[in-house]
Amino acid sequence: MSSDFLTEARRLGTATLHEAAGRIGALPAAIKPVDQSMTLAGPAFTVHCPALSNLQIHHALYLARPGDILVVHVSGGVEAGYWGDILNEAAMAQGLGGLVIDGGVRDTAGLASMDFPVFSNGVCIRGTGKDYDATAWLQEAVLMGDVLIQPGDLIVGDRDGVVALPIDLVDEIVLAAQRREADEIAKIDAIRRGERTLDLYGFAKDAPTHIVPGTPFTGRAR
C-alpha cells in the first residue's frame, strides 16, 4: 500500500469505504478518535492482550514496522487505560501510523495534542498490570465486534469510526468507493436543483402518495 493509496483511502472516508465494500469491516461504533480531527490509514499490526495487561503492547511497538496501525484487542477488559502519554511518545518515535484499541486509554489531553492518531472505545483512568505469564498473540487474527481482522488488513479511521478491509480486496474496494463518491456528488447536485431523494433512488415507484390517519405507513401502496 503506497502512501498515495493510503492518502486516497483516508480521503474517501470510512463510511464510503464500508458501503463500497458491501457493508463489511465496520468496527464497533464505540471506537472513536481521541480528537475528532484525527485520521489514520495503514496496515494492521494485530495485538491480542490478556485483560488488564499492556505488556504485550510494549513489545508490539518494537516489532511493528513504520506506518503500521496497532490494532489491539483487550479480551473484554475494557475498564482500564492501556495507552497513555508514554506509549504515545514511543509509538511516534517508532514511526507507527496509529492505534485502534477496543479498550480504554488515558492521558487524553496529551494524546489529543500529539501528532499520533489514537482510536479507542473509551477513556479510563484505571491502570493496567504486566501479565508476564498470560497467553497473548501478536500478528494473529483478532475479532472486534463481528469483524475478523487479519495482520496486514487495511485499517482506516476518521471521526465517523474505523473500518477494516481485507488486504486482497482493497484495490477493488477503493475503486468502488471512488465510483460511489462520484454518484453521491451527482445526487447532491440534483437535490440542489430541486430533485427529490424519493425519485433519485426510485423510492417513489408504487409508493403511497398520501397519509391515511390511523393506518401504518409502508413503502408500497396497499
Side-chain angles (χ1 to χ4, degrees):
M1 289 182 279
S2 69
S3 60
D4 287 344
F5 180 87
L6 294 176
T7 297
E8 178 65 357
R10 187 185 290 110
R11 186 195 68 79
L12 287 164
T14 55
T16 296
L17 290 167
H18 164 65
E19 292 285 353
R23 296 186 175 180
I24 65 170
L27 299 194
I31 299 177
K32 290 293 192 296
V34 168
D35 184 272
Q36 288 196 340
S37 66
M38 290 178 171
T39 63
L40 57 75
F45 186 99
T46 55
V47 183
H48 182 214
C49 288
L52 310 182
S53 170
N54 74 348
L55 172 66
Q56 295 73 18
I57 300 175
H58 285 267
H59 285 286
L61 280 173
Y62 300 100
L63 294 169
R65 299 168 299 180
D68 281 354
I69 308 298
L70 295 181
V71 179
V72 182
H73 175 59
V74 300
S75 305
V78 175
E79 288 293 326
Y82 291 81
W83 186 273
D85 287 342
I86 296 295
L87 286 174
N88 224 57
E89 290 285 356
M92 289 192 294
Q94 292 300 110
L96 302 188
L99 169 74
V100 175
I101 184 169
D102 62 357
V105 298
R106 59 186 186 177
D107 303 330
T108 54
L111 301 186
S113 69
M114 295 184 190
D115 188 22
F116 186 81
V118 173
F119 287 66
S120 76
N121 77 345
V123 177
C124 184
I125 62 174
R126 291 177 175 146
T128 57
K130 306 293 184 285
D131 193 339
Y132 287 88
D133 297 320
T135 299
W137 304 93
L138 301 181
Q139 287 295 72
E140 296 290 341
V142 295
L143 186 67
M144 287 193 179
D146 60 358
V147 180
L148 186 67
I149 305 168
Q150 300 284 354
D153 282 352
L154 174 61
I155 308 298
V156 181
D158 56 29
R159 66 194 299 165
D160 288 339
V162 183
V163 65
L165 303 172
I167 186 60
D168 57 338
L169 298 178
V170 293
D171 290 334
E172 175 185 338
I173 290 169
V174 167
L175 288 174
Q178 290 169 333
R179 292 193 295 269
R180 180 181 177 86
E181 180 185 56
D183 180 68
E184 288 183 348
I185 290 171
K187 284 185 169 66
I188 289 170
D189 287 341
I191 290 167
R192 289 172 177 170
R193 294 194 304 269
E195 295 191 40
R196 306 186 308 166
T197 58
L198 293 174
D199 301 311
L200 291 172
Y201 288 102
F203 299 153
K205 180 178 171 56
D206 298 328
T209 58
H210 61 281
I211 298 170
V212 178
T215 302
F217 184 88
T218 61
R220 298 287 180 218
R222 294 183 181 275

